[in-house]
Amino acid sequence: MSAAVATPLLREDDQGIPRSLPLLAALVDSEARRCAAAAASQPAESDLVRAFRGGAAPKVPIRIFMERIHLLTRLVPEKRGMVRIDGTCFVLAGIYLTRFIRSAAGREAGIVVEPTTAHRLVAVAVLLAAKFGGHPPRRWAGAFQDSSEGAIRAGEMAVLEGHFLRAIDFRLSVDSAGFDSFCKVLEQGCRVQSSEGGCASKKRHPTPRPERRTSDAASAPACRSLPVLSN
């Protein structure tokens, strides 16, 4: 990856939160809000949609959910395998999430990022990013349960991970150009939000709405308003 492109997004604030976290949270939150009405009118007819809607939708705002995951996983004792989800993981998670939504399996199932799927989709994308990014998670499935206030059960994660991986054909590799491109998109979203009232990259308030260009083409059927995930 290009250090000049990626470094600003990977920097952490005084609470240890990387800048990429609130920017990705804004992307997911924006997509979920845009797709909420369309998704609410669609029954969960496919196994994939049913799996990611789960038994209960977390009530925790997506940014708080992600921050809790980030902080709780850092509490895992080092003797059990230190996990440190850093800024790179959130960039990778965004790329994986886009691949999932745009995958043939995702399009056929009609799954989108909406209020009842967003938290589980993010949880699995972050989990895979931590694994592929060199931070193998051990014994911290409970962090997702705690971060969602019990809505996502620890036992769900392995099943959801399998669904996600099969949908993207286990395609976890991201080249430097793809990584840098997603970083630029997150930054562009921050600038757009700044012109509308401020970018939440430092302050912990509702965050920006990025747009993105990517080579993973294809559109999700239910909501096409946010090109980064849907087109």
Side-chain angles (χ1 to χ4, degrees):
M1 75 187 75
S2 166
V5 172
T7 298
L9 266 72
L10 306 185
R11 290 196 186 109
E12 298 180 354
D13 64 16
D14 56 2
Q15 297 186 42
I17 302 296
R19 190 161 177 263
S20 55
L21 186 158
L23 297 182
L24 178 60
L27 171 66
V28 173
D29 182 64
S30 178
E31 181 79 343
R33 286 186 285 105
R34 291 173 186 268
C35 294
S41 65
Q42 281 193 326
E45 296 179 345
S46 70
D47 290 340
L48 200 60
V49 173
R50 281 193 291 271
F52 281 95
R53 284 186 176 176
K59 303 300 182 184
V60 184
I62 196 69
R63 177 170 175 174
I64 301 302
F65 174 67
M66 292 170 65
E67 289 180 351
R68 287 177 178 176
I69 292 171
H70 175 70
L71 296 174
L72 284 174
T73 54
R74 292 190 171 197
L75 300 179
V76 176
E78 186 169 1
K79 64 182 179 181
R80 296 194 182 280
M82 185 61 180
V83 176
R84 187 176 187 280
I85 296 182
D86 57 17
T88 301
C89 290
F90 294 105
V91 178
L92 290 174
I95 294 171
Y96 296 161
L97 182 53
T98 303
R99 288 179 179 176
F100 177 83
I101 295 299
R102 295 180 173 190
S103 69
R107 287 183 286 118
E108 182 178 354
I111 192 167
V112 295
V113 176
E114 39 97 351
T116 64
T117 64
H119 294 75
R120 287 176 174 81
L121 287 170
V122 166
V124 176
V126 170
L127 175 69
L128 292 174
K131 287 184 175 182
F132 195 74
H135 309 292
R138 300 176 186 175
R139 303 178 63 87
W140 55 278
F144 298 106
Q145 182 167 308
D146 294 341
S147 298
S148 66
E149 298 180 353
I152 300 176
R153 300 182 303 277
E156 288 183 71
M157 291 303 297
V159 174
L160 294 175
E161 181 182 359
H163 282 306
F164 197 107
L165 283 170
R166 287 189 292 274
I168 64 172
D169 293 325
F170 296 84
R171 192 161 56 96
L172 297 175
S173 181
V174 177
D175 61 21
S176 296
F179 190 94
D180 287 351
S181 176
F182 198 83
C183 287
K184 289 177 181 177
V185 167
L186 292 177
E187 287 285 16
Q188 288 169 358
C190 178
R191 288 194 291 271
V192 169
Q193 184 71 4
S194 294
S195 68
E196 297 176 353
C199 175
S201 57
K202 295 182 179 179
K203 296 183 180 180
R204 309 181 73 167
H205 300 298
T207 40
R209 303 176 182 177
E211 300 217 358
R212 167 182 180 211
R213 294 181 299 272
T214 178
S215 58
D216 298 317
S219 59
C223 176
R224 303 182 181 183
S225 57
L226 193 61
V228 175
L229 294 177
S230 306
N231 284 349

